[in-house]
Amino acid sequence: MPIQKLDLPYYLMLIVDLYSLKKTYKKPDDFIFNSIQSGVNMVQIRDTKSVYSNKLSLINKIKTKFKNNCTVIVNSDYKLASESNADGIQIKASEWENFNFSNLRPNLLIGKSTHLSDNHENNKIKKPNYIIFGTIFKSKSHLKNIPVGLDKFNIIKKKYQCPLIAIGGINVNNVSEVIKSGADGAAFITGIINSKNPYITIKNIKSKLSK
């Protein structure tokens, strides 16, 4: 299997759950499209409740509309990642060592979600193309997680030798500090979705990531 590489000018990931997103936005697809047009260049589909065909359709719409301008990642679901036009799959650290990579469509990007307390030994068969590392600050979506702060990025990056996308309590006001501390990019949920004007927020975040 050829080695894939994720090399973007900046890493601005929006993590979406279509089922939950409907509670805030009447047209979740339009919200995602507008977010990409505003500067989001990675979308992760993290959704276990929506109908499979709806998720498959959304992914394919994004790739048809935006092509290589948006990298689409599926969280955990190897079937959806392989059957759709998604660019990659996100795998939990707890599932990493025993994950059957042979189930995946060839050339998918492989992301690993990891925390400071996880085992950071790489799978002998596969190394991640990027990692999502956190929780950086106190997060509304992961209240039980103890924030690790900003001083661990370089330690983790040395172990993986790939882009590090920080997650957890990151918003437009603290993202610059995250990047200055060594992260390559940031992932957002409520920091974008619950902002008063998400598209302006995205543009402001992009300007700070692109410096």
Side-chain angles (χ1 to χ4, degrees), residues 30-40 65-66 202-203 206:
D30 287 347
F31 166 74
I32 295 170
F33 297 157
N34 289 333
S35 295
I36 297 169
Q37 289 172 338
S38 298
V40 165
K65 188 176 181 68
F66 297 99
I202 290 167
K203 291 177 181 178
K206 178 185 174 181

Side-chain angles (χ1 to χ4, degrees), residues 121-140:
E121 296 299 322
N122 281 318
N123 186 299
K124 295 179 181 179
I125 299 174
K126 189 71 177 177
K127 294 182 179 180
N129 303 109
Y130 69 93
I131 60 170
I132 295 182
F133 175 70
T135 301
I136 307 306
F137 304 114
K138 188 174 181 181
S139 169
K140 292 180 180 178

Side-chain angles (χ1 to χ4, degrees), residues 18-69:
L18 297 179
Y19 185 83
S20 299
L21 201 57
K22 290 178 181 177
K23 299 176 183 178
T24 307
Y25 296 93
K26 293 181 179 179
K27 296 181 178 180
D29 288 17
D30 287 347
F31 166 74
I32 295 170
F33 297 157
N34 289 333
S35 295
I36 297 169
Q37 289 172 338
S38 298
V40 165
N41 65 349
M42 298 185 74
V43 171
Q44 182 186 146
I45 308 297
R46 181 192 288 178
D47 187 339
T48 59
K49 295 183 179 181
S50 294
V51 176
Y52 180 88
S53 60
N54 290 346
K55 293 183 285 187
L56 180 69
S57 175
L58 172 63
I59 292 169
N60 292 341
K61 284 179 183 177
I62 293 173
K63 293 307 299 180
T64 297
K65 188 176 181 68
F66 297 99
K67 297 181 171 56
N68 293 333
N69 291 320

Side-chain angles (χ1 to χ4, degrees), residues 158-208:
K158 284 181 180 179
K159 291 180 177 293
Y160 289 99
Q161 300 293 312
C162 65
L164 181 153
I165 299 173
I167 192 171
I170 302 172
N171 56 48
V172 68
N173 296 316
N174 59 28
V175 68
S176 292
E177 192 177 4
V178 170
I179 301 303
K180 288 177 182 177
S181 298
D184 298 294
F188 300 84
I189 305 176
T190 58
I192 287 176
I193 293 173
N194 291 348
S195 61
K196 291 182 178 180
N197 191 321
Y199 311 126
I200 290 178
T201 296
I202 290 167
K203 291 177 181 178
N204 289 337
I205 291 171
K206 178 185 174 181
S207 70
K208 295 179 180 183

